[in-house]
Amino acid sequence: LVLHVERVCPPPVCAMAHIVESILTSLLQPDNAVIQQATAQLKEAFKDPAVLAVMCEVLTTSSNPQIRQFAAVLVRRRLTKHWKQVDVTLRENLKCLVLEAIQREPEHKVRHAVAQLAAIILKNETLQKWPQLFHFLQQASRSSVPEQRQVGLLLLSTVVEANPETFQPHFRDLLRLFHHTLTDLSNKAVLHYSIQTITVMASYIGTDETNLMRSLIPKIITAIRELIRMDELQAIEAMEVFDELMESEVSIIVQHLSEVVHFCLEIAANRELGDNLRVKALSCISFLIKLKSKAITKQKLLAPILNTLFPIMSAEPPLGEMDPEDNEEDDSDLEEDAEVQTPKHFSVQVIDMLALHLPPEKLFPQLTPLMEPALLSMNPYQRKAGLMCLAVLSEGCADHIRHKHLQPMLQIVCQALGDESQIVRNAALFALGQFSENLQPNISNFSEEIMPLLLNYFSSLEPSHLGHLEKAYYALENFVENLGPKIEPYLPTLMERMLASLRDSERNRIKELSVSTIGSIATAAESLLLPYFPAVIEHLKGYLINTHEDFRPVQIQSLETLGLLARTLGKDVFQPLSEECCQLGLNLSDQVDDPDLRRCTYSLFAALSLMMGDAISPHLEKMTTLMRLSLKSTEGVVTHYNENKSFVLFDDDDEAEEEEDSQIHDEELEEDDPDIEGFTVENAYIDEKEDACTALGEIALNASGAFMPYLEPCFEEVFKHHESPHMNIRKAVYETLGQFCRAFHRVCQSNPVQQSSTALRKMLDLVFPVYFKTIQDDKERLVVMSALEAMNDIIKDCKGEAVQDAQRLGDICQVVRLVLQQKTCCQDPEAEDGEDDDGQQAEYDSMLIEYAGEGIPLIALAVGGQRFAPYFAGFLPLLLSKMKQNSSSSDKSFAVGTIAETVQELGPFSAQFVPRLLPVLLTGAREENEEVRSNSVFGLGVVVEHGKEAAFEHYPKILGVLSSIIAQEENPRVKDNVCGAVSRLIMTSPERVPVDQVLPVMLRSMPLKDDYEENATCFNCIAFLYKESPEQVAQHMKEIVRIFSHVFGTEEIKPETTSTLLLLLKDMAQRFPQELQNAIMALPADKSTKINTALASP
């Protein structure tokens, strides 16, 4: 294949070409003075309109490949900005020139630069205006000459990458071409460019091309296997094709899922291959688990995955080395250790992904036979692997572990803390920290066993072993944070040790860890920390004014702990310091340019707003300005360039007359510049944006009216980030937008003005569509949960204002229904029917459905029973489907709880649903799981209370079930709900209940032990019965007075219930003085004093 254009260089162009080549040569010299002079000369040269032709001459005639590459890059960048100014004749010449140059060019880098130049010309011209390009691509890609095939496919991959939509009409032809080129297994470049082009096409594949693309998968696997043998770096790049297909068209992969998974496992298991390639293979498996967990289990791929992962996780490091996280002197952060990308670390992340996306009932039976021998092995690295498994299971399988495995798993971890190998002890500390984070509240019940163990462990540590000490702090901090009052016996020892570290340690890292742990201790201890507060605050103040660079981490942590102290110690303690803290935070933000420090000052401001309320007003302008600047900032964005990096620093575009044109194209250039491979953002700057967002929302709620002058600019800035590529920023945005709406609604309520109501409606009109789109389209479950929670909070606070529009009410119900039907993007909506008929789900999938379900009773409350009843009729079958015999206990509990709460809000309009609800609730009341029983019993009560006549005929059956439960029930919450249900039955239709038999049994079960919400119902029932028949109630005076004496003065009853009981007690004193006096005398002294004090109150 030869394209040859006879070109004669005009003498002026040739002469100028020599000058330009000389300038470009100078620009490549390692001498700044020479470069500066050459830059000025080149800018001058670019003012000549003939410069483009001169550059083309250099591109085709220079003997230096670097100069040819530089010329191609400069021509391309010139055309990117100024195509419209290029003469038509020169355009046509350029088209011929690039096709001729690319086939004559022997150097790969220059070829690539010329291919990018062709891509820019095509972007401006289209294929119709450049038929020679398509003809060249067809001829060269199918050439019998290997070198020409390489050139053709290089050009094809480059122009398709830059103009994918242009080639869409030709996708079928291209896919047929790749069926042919992917068999050229000895030609590395042909394989690489073919797969590179397929990767670009994947996002644009339509239904017409799906089958052709699907049939390519086996050939792609074979081609990558060959690339691995020839060039691992290109193989890693080629494996991006799987990522792209999974991201955009996962159904193409599913039919070949087993082949892809086994191929990736084969790579991951091969220790002869490089770590990056093995990690890439594990990453593909992890992504497939996330997207297609049901297909993974259905195609029986779980066992091979686990059998491959375990040897990788258990592998010993090379002789004389340690895993990075086990290094004694390692001064790196624990989170940074977790991010180290080695096959060993990534295998643990794949287990984590399995736990997050597979039902525990499917994962545990296959994982346990691998874990148990590992935990008992003589090899410390196998014991470590077993403990790392336990650790990561605790997030995704938390409920399963809490209810079925907590004690034995905890025992294993605690025993491992005494292991002879520090490698194993490190893993045990990590596991304990993970358990403490994910297995609350149950794990805190073991504080008497764990706290002495941790404290003793701490005393045995060498302060010089910093890496190990960090892990001990991590475990301790996570465990104490959730102890609540149970921390009291250990508080003196804990605080003594932390304060000693602050006082005596010379290592800043130990001070930082101790300050952080004090924050966790404060969260649990609350007011119990007060005796230590003066000493703590004295240390923190000293740290906060220390501006040495190496002390910065301690300073940052001190700010974070100060915020926690403000939240936990309350107004009385912290109010006197609040103004000083505000000023301190603002001064630090001015003085220190550090994203972590700014992030912590924002959290401090949010904590201070909690106690200051409107009093924070004088500082709001500066605070909100700082946070908006953080949200706007592009600081921390790192641009990654390709091989043309050396040539992109020169910018020819400073001609005044072209300034406007430049501004128009600058943004396009940044987005489409082929010299830029991508952007990354440093984590600290992402965290800063997230915390700025979160703080703005919290301050808006707490400062209320004082925040209103700043609401609009803050709303606009936060709203811009609702499609951020960073998951945590999106989550923060949805929460904050909701808080803005709720804060505005509160102001409208306290000061109703038409203008404000209109503005609130506009805000809601912007926010709700964002939530709807996110819930349906976002691929991250945690983000969708955040959007659902924020939407629920708006509905809860704003009620009718949020749902007065019929269209919006329908849209809200529609997205909730989609989640319940598991048809949103993050729920694997393309799962084949019947894939989850066994009723088993990953816990996070169930949690997502619960978030959606929580909105149902809130919507009912907001719009009223009559308006909501038709919508509930649509939700009911979806809720009842969670009550199948094979459904999980958590699903059943969720369903009956949601039904019961919604019936309460439907009121009399729930009567139509009684025949469908009662059989389900009666069955649920006999369930083995106590939470399902408790919710079902509660549901029976409210269905009768609100269904009234529709439920009357079922009284005997309901009473029979409740009677059999109370006779044998041991769970206090279930018993409390039986008392509540019986009370509702009595108050709804007393004549249908044998009160003489039922009341004594109910009273013996009181006071309530767990579900104090039902106290109001039970005591209202006693008051109701007393009003109807005082003598009947007076017969049980001793029991009633005993119960009253227990609840008076406690938080178990609300103030209105206390008032009801006082009225009742005083009336009894009037009507039945002797019986009451006898009952009081039978009480213990402290209880009788409590009753007499109540009787004596005005």
Side-chain angles (χ1 to χ4, degrees):
L1 175 79
V2 177
L3 276 173
H4 185 67
V5 180
E6 193 64 44
R7 293 170 54 257
V8 178
C9 176
V13 173
C14 285
M16 197 172 168
H18 288 303
I19 296 167
V20 168
E21 183 168 353
S22 170
I23 295 170
L24 296 184
T25 305
S26 298
L27 279 167
L28 296 174
Q29 300 305 309
D31 184 324
N32 283 337
V34 173
I35 291 170
Q36 282 176 0
Q37 185 183 359
T39 301
Q41 290 171 336
L42 191 59
K43 286 193 173 183
E44 192 62 34
F46 264 105
K47 291 177 181 176
D48 187 334
V51 73
L52 211 52
V54 173
M55 282 291 176
C56 291
E57 182 65 22
V58 173
L59 165 61
T60 53
T61 60
S62 174
S63 60
N64 183 336
Q66 269 194 299
I67 298 296
R68 296 200 299 275
Q69 185 185 359
F70 202 165
V73 170
L74 289 172
V75 171
R76 170 173 51 77
R77 294 181 75 81
R78 186 78 175 172
L79 294 180
T80 302
K81 296 180 181 180
H82 305 299
W83 177 260
K84 288 177 183 174
Q85 283 84 51
V86 177
D87 175 75
V88 175
T89 308
L90 182 53
R91 290 183 191 181
E92 293 304 318
N93 287 342
L94 276 165
K95 291 179 197 174
C96 295
L97 180 141
V98 294
L99 296 180
E100 180 189 356
I102 199 165
Q103 63 181 321
R104 286 200 293 120
E105 179 56 59
E107 294 287 337
H108 166 75
K109 284 187 176 180
V110 187
R111 274 184 193 165
H112 194 208
V114 175
Q116 289 175 331
L117 172 55
I120 285 297
I121 297 171
L122 179 62
K123 204 174 195 68
N124 288 284
E125 280 292 83
T126 74
L127 276 174
Q128 287 73 28
K129 292 182 185 176
W130 195 5
Q132 301 94 325
L133 172 67
F134 199 64
H135 177 72
F136 176 85
L137 290 170
Q138 286 178 314
Q139 295 292 311
S141 301
R142 290 179 168 83
S143 169
S144 58
V145 181
E147 184 79 8
Q148 288 183 358
R149 286 203 302 279
Q150 287 180 26
V151 171
L153 285 160
L154 163 63
L155 182 57
L156 179 63
S157 75
T158 309
V159 294
V160 171
E161 185 175 5
N163 310 276
E165 290 98 336
T166 304
F167 284 88
Q168 268 182 297
H170 306 283
F171 271 13
R172 289 179 69 82
D173 291 336
L174 291 178
L175 290 171
R176 289 191 190 100
L177 168 68
F178 298 136
H179 269 282
H180 172 69
T181 59
L182 287 173
T183 59
D184 192 357
L185 297 178
S186 60
N187 195 327
K188 180 179 82 167
V190 166
L191 298 178
H192 177 62
Y193 295 134
S194 297
I195 295 174
Q196 209 171 44
T197 315
I198 295 166
T199 305
V200 173
M201 290 166 61
S203 305
Y204 300 88
I205 288 290
T207 48
D208 290 347
E209 297 92 27
T210 302
N211 284 334
L212 260 176
M213 179 70 100
R214 194 176 281 133
S215 61
L216 269 178
I217 300 294
K219 288 187 176 180
I220 290 172
I221 291 172
T222 304
I224 295 175
R225 191 176 272 119
E226 281 303 306
L227 281 175
I228 290 170
R229 199 173 52 77
M230 295 186 275
D231 186 333
E232 281 193 21
L233 281 176
Q234 286 198 347
I236 292 169
E237 198 178 320
M239 286 185 77
E240 292 288 333
V241 71
F242 296 133
D243 289 352
E244 203 57 53
L245 285 169
M246 288 186 279
E247 190 74 52
S248 50
E249 201 55 64
V250 72
S251 61
I252 289 171
I253 292 254
V254 171
Q255 282 197 5
H256 298 280
L257 187 65
S258 182
E259 289 169 77
V260 173
V261 168
H262 279 102
F263 174 56
C264 291
L265 290 174
E266 171 194 319
I267 296 169
N270 188 346
R271 296 187 70 172
E272 300 299 312
L273 298 175
D275 278 1
N276 289 343
L277 179 59
R278 295 173 69 202
V279 166
K280 182 67 191 170
L282 289 166
S283 165
C284 287
I285 293 170
S286 185
F287 203 4
L288 278 169
I289 291 164
K290 180 180 177 179
L291 295 176
K292 283 288 167 191
S293 57
K294 290 168 187 163
I296 291 277
T297 50
K298 190 178 181 186
Q299 295 192 30
K300 298 187 168 41
L301 293 169
L302 180 55
I305 290 172
L306 292 174
N307 286 323
T308 303
L309 291 177
F310 240 85
I312 301 172
M313 288 167 59
S314 312
E316 294 188 32
L319 196 63
E321 293 182 27
M322 296 183 84
D323 290 333
E325 71 275 12
D326 292 321
N327 196 327
E328 283 287 354
E329 299 302 323
D330 190 6
D331 198 12
S332 68
D333 187 28
L334 197 66
E335 288 181 13
E336 287 175 13
D337 288 339
E339 289 171 10
V340 175
Q341 297 295 295
T342 66
K344 190 169 191 172
H345 288 90
F346 211 95
S347 294
V348 177
Q349 291 175 40
V350 178
I351 299 280
D352 190 14
M353 193 63 78
L354 287 166
L356 288 167
H357 290 274
L358 263 63
E361 297 84 358
K362 286 188 166 71
L363 179 59
F364 269 69
Q366 301 217 38
L367 187 55
T368 307
L370 294 168
M371 271 198 306
E372 284 181 348
L375 290 162
L376 297 169
S377 168
M378 296 300 289
N379 182 329
Y381 285 97
Q382 293 203 354
R383 298 201 295 280
K384 175 184 175 178
L387 287 163
M388 295 300 284
C389 260
L390 291 179
V392 295
L393 285 171
S394 69
E395 183 184 7
C397 303
D399 277 346
H400 186 76
I401 293 171
R402 278 198 298 260
H403 293 122
K404 296 188 176 178
H405 301 288
L406 181 55
Q407 193 155 4
M409 282 173 69
L410 199 52
Q411 195 172 355
I412 290 165
V413 172
C414 289
Q415 282 174 354
L417 285 174
D419 196 282
E420 62 183 11
S421 165
Q422 189 157 301
I423 291 160
V424 178
R425 297 200 299 274
N426 281 347
L429 287 167
F430 176 68
L432 185 55
Q434 289 286 294
F435 280 16
S436 305
E437 217 169 297
N438 299 313
L439 302 179
Q440 295 296 342
N442 310 54
I443 192 170
S444 293
N445 296 333
F446 295 90
S447 58
E448 290 180 12
E449 292 86 4
I450 293 171
M451 278 306 294
L453 198 65
L454 276 173
L455 291 171
N456 290 337
Y457 194 83
F458 244 84
S459 346
S460 67
L461 289 176
E462 282 287 330
S464 59
H465 293 171
L466 192 55
H468 192 54
L469 198 62
E470 284 179 339
K471 291 163 187 64
Y473 267 106
Y474 169 75
L476 179 69
E477 192 174 338
N478 277 8
F479 190 75
V480 299
E481 189 170 15
N482 295 288
L483 280 181
K486 291 175 186 164
I487 199 173
E488 189 169 6
Y490 314 105
L491 194 56
T493 310
L494 280 167
M495 287 309 296
E496 187 183 315
R497 290 201 180 162
M498 295 306 126
L499 290 169
S501 294
L502 298 185
R503 191 175 55 245
D504 305 331
S505 177
E506 293 178 3
R507 302 188 78 161
N508 288 342
R509 181 64 173 144
I510 290 180
K511 288 185 191 293
E512 182 191 350
L513 292 166
S514 300
V515 169
S516 178
T517 305
I518 287 170
S520 297
I521 293 168
T523 302
E526 295 184 344
S527 59
L528 294 170
L529 192 77
L530 286 176
Y532 309 96
F533 181 64
V536 170
I537 206 74
E538 187 182 340
H539 281 292
L540 296 187
K541 281 183 177 179
Y543 298 158
L544 288 165
I545 58 172
N546 187 333
T547 54
H548 286 98
E549 187 71 32
D550 60 348
F551 202 75
R552 183 70 46 75
V554 184
Q555 190 181 39
I556 289 167
Q557 188 55 61
S558 298
L559 271 173
E560 197 160 318
T561 295
L562 193 62
L564 285 170
L565 291 169
R567 289 180 189 280
T568 53
L569 295 179
K571 283 187 181 181
D572 293 342
V573 178
F574 227 85
Q575 192 82 39
L577 294 168
S578 56
E579 191 64 35
E580 186 184 349
C581 289
C582 274
Q583 208 53 60
L584 179 79
L586 290 168
N587 291 343
L588 281 171
S589 297
D590 281 344
Q591 293 162 11
V592 183
D593 182 14
D594 184 293
D596 282 319
L597 184 132
R598 287 192 293 270
R599 173 180 67 77
C600 291
T601 59
Y602 301 158
S603 297
L604 175 62
F605 297 152
L608 292 169
S609 73
L610 194 61
M611 72 184 71
M612 293 174 76
D614 278 5
I616 204 169
S617 176
H619 306 292
L620 282 179
E621 184 173 358
K622 191 163 184 186
M623 287 177 178
T624 55
T625 302
L626 283 168
M627 292 184 224
R628 283 191 292 119
L629 285 173
S630 286
L631 286 168
K632 280 181 181 172
S633 169
T634 55
E635 216 180 340
V637 177
V638 180
T639 307
H640 301 281
Y641 291 95
N642 63 14
E643 61 198 18
N644 294 326
K645 181 179 180 180
S646 336
F647 308 126
V648 300
L649 301 176
F650 172 79
D651 184 6
D652 64 296
D653 190 18
D654 65 347
E655 298 167 55
E657 66 270 26
E658 291 168 353
E659 200 170 300
E660 186 181 337
D661 188 52
S662 158
Q663 287 172 354
I664 293 166
H665 290 286
D666 267 356
E667 197 171 315
E668 285 177 32
L669 177 63
E670 191 167 274
E671 286 176 4
D672 302 330
D673 192 341
D675 297 326
I676 296 174
E677 290 192 332
F679 302 92
T680 54
V681 185
E682 293 173 35
N683 285 343
Y685 293 93
I686 296 171
D687 295 343
E688 179 191 355
K689 288 185 190 311
E690 179 192 347
D691 284 11
C693 208
T694 302
L696 281 170
E698 193 173 348
I699 294 168
L701 271 182
N702 295 332
S704 198
F707 192 84
M708 287 305 107
Y710 313 100
L711 180 61
E712 188 174 345
C714 290
F715 179 91
E716 285 175 3
E717 198 54 53
V718 170
F719 192 83
K720 288 175 189 171
H721 293 268
H722 76 266
E723 292 183 321
S724 166
H726 305 289
M727 180 179 101
N728 287 345
I729 293 178
R730 293 202 304 282
K731 282 172 59 185
V733 165
Y734 303 142
E735 181 185 359
T736 300
L737 291 176
Q739 287 169 319
F740 284 162
C741 293
R742 290 157 59 205
F744 201 178
H745 176 259
R746 286 181 193 177
V747 172
C748 292
Q749 292 294 99
S750 59
N751 184 22
V753 180
Q754 181 58 43
Q755 192 178 354
S756 296
S757 296
T758 306
L760 174 60
R761 279 197 292 276
K762 283 183 181 175
M763 192 180 279
L764 292 170
D765 286 344
L766 283 171
V767 170
F768 270 101
V770 169
Y771 289 155
F772 299 152
K773 186 174 188 307
T774 300
I775 293 164
Q776 291 178 80
D777 297 342
D778 203 293
K779 293 182 178 178
E780 298 293 340
R781 292 174 305 188
L782 290 173
V783 175
V784 175
M785 287 182 209
S786 180
L788 284 165
E789 186 174 28
M791 187 172 81
N792 289 344
D793 286 341
I794 292 177
I795 295 166
K796 185 178 181 180
D797 276 18
C798 303
K799 295 188 172 64
E801 187 76 43
V803 286
Q804 63 184 18
D805 178 67
Q807 175 69 44
R808 186 183 297 150
L809 174 60
D811 289 343
I812 292 170
C813 291
Q814 172 64 9
V815 292
V816 171
R817 192 179 297 111
L818 284 172
V819 177
L820 294 180
Q821 292 170 326
Q822 300 181 66
K823 288 186 176 177
T824 69
C825 198
C826 70
Q827 293 174 293
D828 189 7
E830 294 174 5
E832 295 171 32
D833 291 338
E835 271 187 6
D836 59 346
D837 275 354
D838 56 8
Q840 294 172 342
Q841 276 189 309
E843 288 183 7
Y844 270 66
D845 289 330
S846 297
M847 204 186 301
L848 176 62
I849 289 169
E850 286 172 23
Y851 271 83
E854 282 168 12
I856 296 173
L858 293 173
I859 304 165
L861 173 63
V863 303
Q866 184 173 5
R867 193 173 166 204
F868 188 67
Y871 292 101
F872 185 64
F875 286 127
L876 191 54
L878 297 170
L879 292 169
L880 294 178
S881 70
K882 303 282 177 194
M883 290 297 294
K884 292 176 187 170
Q885 192 173 350
N886 63 353
S887 296
S888 68
S889 297
S890 59
D891 277 358
K892 291 176 182 177
S893 172
F894 153 72
V896 289
T898 304
I899 287 167
E901 287 176 26
T902 309
V903 165
Q904 281 186 301
E905 307 307 340
L906 283 168
F909 298 96
S910 64
Q912 59 190 293
F913 304 111
V914 168
R916 295 172 70 186
L917 295 180
L918 276 178
V920 175
L921 294 170
L922 287 165
T923 303
R926 300 185 187 94
E927 275 278 341
E928 185 183 344
N929 181 274
E930 58 228 20
E931 202 173 296
V932 179
R933 287 203 306 280
S934 176
N935 286 354
S936 299
V937 167
F938 172 72
L940 285 170
V942 297
V943 164
V944 170
E945 179 186 5
H946 296 287
K948 293 189 169 54
E949 289 83 358
F952 285 168
E953 64 180 285
H954 303 285
Y955 259 57
K957 186 181 284 187
I958 296 169
L959 284 167
V961 168
L962 295 177
S963 173
S964 67
I965 292 172
I966 203 78
Q968 56 194 17
E969 185 60 60
E970 292 180 4
N971 182 274
R973 192 170 189 85
V974 179
K975 289 171 81 169
D976 291 351
N977 275 285
V978 171
C979 292
V982 167
S983 298
R984 287 184 168 88
L985 265 70
I986 291 171
M987 289 188 286
T988 303
S989 183
E991 66 278 8
R992 287 181 169 78
V993 180
V995 176
D996 286 344
Q997 297 168 38
V998 169
L999 184 59
V1001 178
M1002 183 175 117
L1003 293 173
R1004 281 198 297 275
S1005 301
M1006 292 177 72
L1008 304 187
K1009 310 293 188 303
D1010 191 316
D1011 192 353
Y1012 300 131
E1013 289 291 317
E1014 288 297 83
N1015 263 325
T1017 305
C1018 295
F1019 287 123
N1020 284 343
C1021 177
I1022 293 170
F1024 169 84
L1025 287 172
Y1026 182 78
K1027 185 180 177 183
E1028 296 293 314
S1029 174
E1031 290 78 9
Q1032 188 180 34
V1033 175
Q1035 291 173 29
H1036 307 285
M1037 186 70 76
K1038 279 190 177 179
E1039 282 291 290
I1040 289 170
V1041 171
R1042 173 187 66 78
I1043 296 162
F1044 284 14
S1045 75
H1046 176 86
V1047 297
F1048 266 135
T1050 69
E1051 292 183 2
E1052 294 173 17
I1053 55 173
K1054 292 177 180 173
E1056 52 269 32
T1057 304
T1058 302
S1059 303
T1060 301
L1061 299 191
L1062 279 172
L1063 288 171
L1064 192 57
L1065 202 58
K1066 289 180 178 182
D1067 195 82
M1068 286 174 168
Q1070 294 289 323
R1071 295 199 198 194
F1072 308 101
Q1074 192 56 52
E1075 290 90 336
L1076 179 61
Q1077 201 55 42
N1078 292 343
I1080 294 170
M1081 288 175 69
L1083 292 171
D1086 59 328
K1087 297 286 174 71
S1088 62
T1089 305
K1090 201 192 277 191
I1091 295 290
N1092 284 322
T1093 305
L1095 283 166
S1097 64

